[in-house]
Amino acid sequence: MSESELVVFFSVLLFVGGVCSLRQQMHDQRDSRSGSGSPEPSEEKILLLPWHEFPLDWSTGAFQIGGASISLQLGHGDVAYTVWDGAVVLSQYFNNEKIFPSGFFHGKRVLELGAGTGLCGIALARLGADVTVTDLAHTMAFLDQNVQLNHPYQPPGRISAHPLPWGPEGDGDVRALTANGSAPFDYVVCSDVVYVPYLIGPLVHTLAAVVAPHSKALMGHKTRSLLTDQAFIEEATRRGLSVQPVPTADHHPTYRSCSVSIFMIQKS
């Protein structure tokens, strides 16, 4: 699929999903994903989806992966402390046995970027993967709380949390993960990480560093800005990554939405 076709694809998702167009000043908190002193963003017209399409109660354990419950603690004051729709759709995509037969993830090495609550990584550990969930240092106590909340993980699944800022600042962390045998990774996963343009460069820098020729990245995504999405595709292409949509028919039959996409990212 060409870049222009992908932009059209994003546009169709927006109109089908009935998205509202709003103008919003981005807060410094949302700038922190790169891990460095973030530049002051200019006001940008963005397309917000202000509701959760999957309004789940994460305290009950009703959300099931691999036949086991997942419970999560949520918080306030940071985008990392809530569960976004992209994470719900992506985690249940891994749970679709028509695509990933039972045992598929046993022993697979997985890295999650911008893990937030850790839902996708916890789901993959439930399915038997060896998972490293990462986010900024100030979220580690919160993230590890959710990792511990869902213990025990059935062998061979296991999970650990590590700080990893995006961009050149995180190169040392990537080398450390590689040195301890956790990389290269079979899968890199992330969800709802593309939403403001000034984080695209750092994100793609880190994706290019951790996606090996044999591995795949899978990204759950809900479009909020067409310009930002286009910028992500262009930067990924420039860095030697291909971005292709996973057919909606392959998503989990219950946890799917016409406004939430899954993209496969690989070395070109």
Side-chain angles (χ1 to χ4, degrees), residues 14-266:
L14 285 171
F15 287 111
V16 171
V19 183
C20 301
S21 179
L22 298 173
R23 183 174 298 272
Q24 174 175 305
Q25 179 77 35
M26 287 293 158
H27 298 291
D28 289 343
Q29 243 168 352
R30 302 188 72 178
D31 306 344
S32 60
R33 288 286 177 196
S34 65
S36 59
S38 304
E40 183 69 26
S42 60
E43 189 173 351
E44 179 202 6
K45 178 174 277 190
I46 62 171
L47 296 167
L48 294 177
L49 298 149
W51 65 90
H52 286 83
E53 294 188 50
F54 305 97
L56 301 162
D57 184 346
W58 294 97
S59 65
T60 65
F63 192 80
Q64 300 255 322
I65 294 287
S69 298
I70 291 181
S71 298
L72 297 172
Q73 296 284 343
L74 306 184
H76 302 282
D78 194 292
V79 293
Y81 300 157
T82 191
V83 178
W84 301 97
D85 290 330
V88 175
V89 172
L90 183 60
S91 61
Q92 286 290 352
Y93 171 64
F94 301 135
N95 199 36
N96 186 353
E97 290 194 354
K98 290 184 178 179
I99 306 300
F100 303 106
S102 179
F104 178 89
F105 287 107
H106 284 195
K108 293 287 193 301
R109 293 163 296 175
V110 177
L111 174 71
E112 183 175 11
L113 300 177
T117 63
L119 174 59
C120 291
I122 290 168
L124 284 162
R126 280 269 190 261
L127 295 170
D130 179 0
V131 182
T132 302
V133 289
T134 67
D135 211 312
L136 295 178
H138 76 269
T139 70
M140 284 298 101
F142 172 80
L143 179 55
D144 194 58
Q145 182 181 35
N146 279 329
V147 168
Q148 299 302 323
L149 181 64
N150 287 280
H151 270 298
Y153 297 89
Q154 293 299 315
R158 60 181 182 175
I159 185 170
S160 59
H162 297 271
L164 175 58
W166 302 339
E169 184 177 343
D171 287 349
D173 298 285
V174 170
R175 287 192 294 270
L177 290 172
T178 302
N180 70 20
S182 297
F185 301 94
D186 299 300
Y187 284 88
V188 177
V189 302
C190 52
S191 60
D192 288 301
V193 292
V194 176
Y195 52 92
V196 286
Y198 42 88
L199 297 182
I200 288 172
L203 171 61
V204 176
H205 176 99
T206 299
L207 278 170
V210 296
V211 176
H214 76 278
S215 62
K216 299 175 181 177
L218 288 161
M219 181 176 79
H221 177 71
K222 180 177 273 191
T223 294
R224 290 165 173 83
S225 164
L226 293 175
L227 291 176
T228 301
D229 290 348
Q230 183 176 3
F232 172 76
I233 294 165
E234 291 173 352
E235 180 65 10
T237 301
R238 189 184 72 81
R239 295 296 299 257
L241 300 172
S242 68
V243 182
Q244 299 294 331
V246 173
T248 305
D250 290 346
H251 297 195
H252 191 280
T254 301
Y255 295 94
R256 65 172 61 171
S257 166
C258 56
S259 70
V260 179
S261 306
I262 298 173
F263 289 95
M264 184 177 293
I265 303 169
Q266 295 177 279

